[in-house]
Protein backbone atom coordinates (compact mmCIF):
# COMPACT_ATOMS: atom_id res chain seq x y z
CA UNK A 1 0.00 0.00 0.00
CA UNK A 2 1.41 3.38 -0.99
CA UNK A 3 1.06 6.58 1.00
CA UNK A 4 -1.64 7.89 -1.37
CA UNK A 5 -3.57 4.63 -1.05
CA UNK A 6 -3.27 4.86 2.74
CA UNK A 7 -4.55 8.46 2.67
CA UNK A 8 -7.54 7.37 0.55
CA UNK A 9 -8.31 4.46 2.92
CA UNK A 10 -8.09 6.72 6.00
CA UNK A 11 -10.35 9.30 4.36
CA UNK A 12 -12.94 6.65 3.51
CA UNK A 13 -12.90 4.96 6.94
CA UNK A 14 -13.04 8.25 8.85
CA UNK A 15 -15.51 9.92 6.50
CA UNK A 16 -13.22 12.90 5.91
CA UNK A 17 -11.70 14.59 2.88
CA UNK A 18 -8.48 13.16 1.44
CA UNK A 19 -6.78 16.50 2.07
CA UNK A 20 -7.61 16.27 5.79
CA UNK A 21 -6.52 12.62 5.95
CA UNK A 22 -3.22 13.49 4.28
CA UNK A 23 -2.64 16.35 6.74
CA UNK A 24 -3.32 14.01 9.68
CA UNK A 25 -1.01 11.30 8.30
CA UNK A 26 1.78 13.82 7.61
CA UNK A 27 1.42 15.19 11.15
CA UNK A 28 1.58 11.65 12.59
CA UNK A 29 4.73 10.88 10.60
CA UNK A 30 6.34 14.16 11.68
CA UNK A 31 5.54 13.56 15.37
CA UNK A 32 6.97 10.02 15.21
CA UNK A 33 10.16 11.25 13.50
CA UNK A 34 10.67 14.03 16.04
CA UNK A 35 10.09 11.72 19.01
CA UNK A 36 12.50 9.09 17.67
CA UNK A 37 15.17 11.75 17.02
CA UNK A 38 14.90 12.73 20.71
CA UNK A 39 15.26 9.09 21.74
CA UNK A 40 11.64 8.70 22.85
CA UNK A 41 9.47 5.76 21.96
CA UNK A 42 5.86 5.95 20.80
CA UNK A 43 3.57 3.28 22.18
CA UNK A 44 0.10 2.84 20.73
CA UNK A 45 -1.61 0.23 22.90
CA UNK A 46 -2.82 -2.75 20.89
CA UNK A 47 -1.10 -1.52 17.72
CA UNK A 48 2.60 -1.39 18.48
CA UNK A 49 5.64 0.61 19.46
CA UNK A 50 7.94 2.78 17.38
CA UNK A 51 11.44 2.90 18.88
CA UNK A 52 15.14 3.26 18.13
CA UNK A 53 17.21 0.07 18.28
CA UNK A 54 20.97 -0.20 18.43
CA UNK A 55 22.52 -2.15 15.60
CA UNK A 56 25.79 -3.79 16.70
CA UNK A 57 29.06 -3.11 14.88
CA UNK A 58 29.97 -5.71 12.29
CA UNK A 59 32.38 -6.59 9.54
CA UNK A 60 30.90 -6.61 6.04
CA UNK A 61 32.42 -7.36 2.66
CA UNK A 62 32.49 -5.21 -0.44
CA UNK A 63 30.79 -7.50 -3.00
CA UNK A 64 32.90 -6.11 -5.85
CA UNK A 65 36.35 -6.45 -4.29
CA UNK A 66 35.76 -8.86 -1.41
CA UNK A 67 37.48 -6.33 0.86
CA UNK A 68 36.44 -6.32 4.53
CA UNK A 69 34.67 -3.15 5.68
CA UNK A 70 34.06 -2.17 9.30
CA UNK A 71 30.46 -1.08 9.82
CA UNK A 72 30.11 0.90 13.08
CA UNK A 73 27.27 0.53 15.58
CA UNK A 74 24.31 2.79 14.95
CA UNK A 75 20.74 3.48 15.97
CA UNK A 76 17.98 2.55 13.54
CA UNK A 77 14.21 3.08 13.73
CA UNK A 78 12.16 -0.05 14.45
CA UNK A 79 8.54 -1.07 14.95
CA UNK A 80 7.43 -3.74 17.39
CA UNK A 81 3.84 -4.90 16.73
CA UNK A 82 1.43 -5.05 19.66
CA UNK A 83 -0.57 -8.05 20.80
CA UNK A 84 -3.84 -6.97 19.15
CA UNK A 85 -2.13 -6.29 15.81
CA UNK A 86 -0.36 -9.65 15.94
CA UNK A 87 -3.62 -11.46 16.65
CA UNK A 88 -5.53 -9.56 13.94
CA UNK A 89 -2.95 -10.36 11.27
CA UNK A 90 -1.97 -13.86 12.39
CA UNK A 91 -2.35 -16.60 9.80
CA UNK A 92 -1.83 -20.27 10.31
CA UNK A 93 0.95 -21.84 8.32
CA UNK A 94 -0.38 -24.76 6.33
CA UNK A 95 1.86 -27.81 6.26
Amino acid sequence: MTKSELVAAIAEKAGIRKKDAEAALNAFIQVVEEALKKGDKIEIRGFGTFLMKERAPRVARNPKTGEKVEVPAKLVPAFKPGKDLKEATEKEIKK
Side-chain angles (χ1 to χ4, degrees), residues 8 18 20 25 27 29 31 46 49 56 64 76 89:
K18 284 185 183 179
D20 296 333
L25 180 58
I29 291 169
V31 168
T49 304
K64 227 177 197 179
V76 294
T89 58

Side-chain angles (χ1 to χ4, degrees), residues 2-14 16 18 21-22:
T2 64
K3 183 177 178 181
S4 60
E5 291 170 336
L6 181 58
V7 167
I10 291 170
E12 186 179 321
K13 285 268 187 192
I16 58 176
K18 284 185 183 179
E22 184 174 17

Side-chain angles (χ1 to χ4, degrees), residues 37-54:
K37 282 180 189 175
K38 289 191 294 186
D40 296 339
K41 67 179 183 178
I42 297 94
E43 184 177 331
I44 303 171
R45 296 257 182 226
F47 182 71
T49 304
F50 295 91
L51 59 127
M52 294 298 288
K53 272 191 172 176
E54 187 174 340

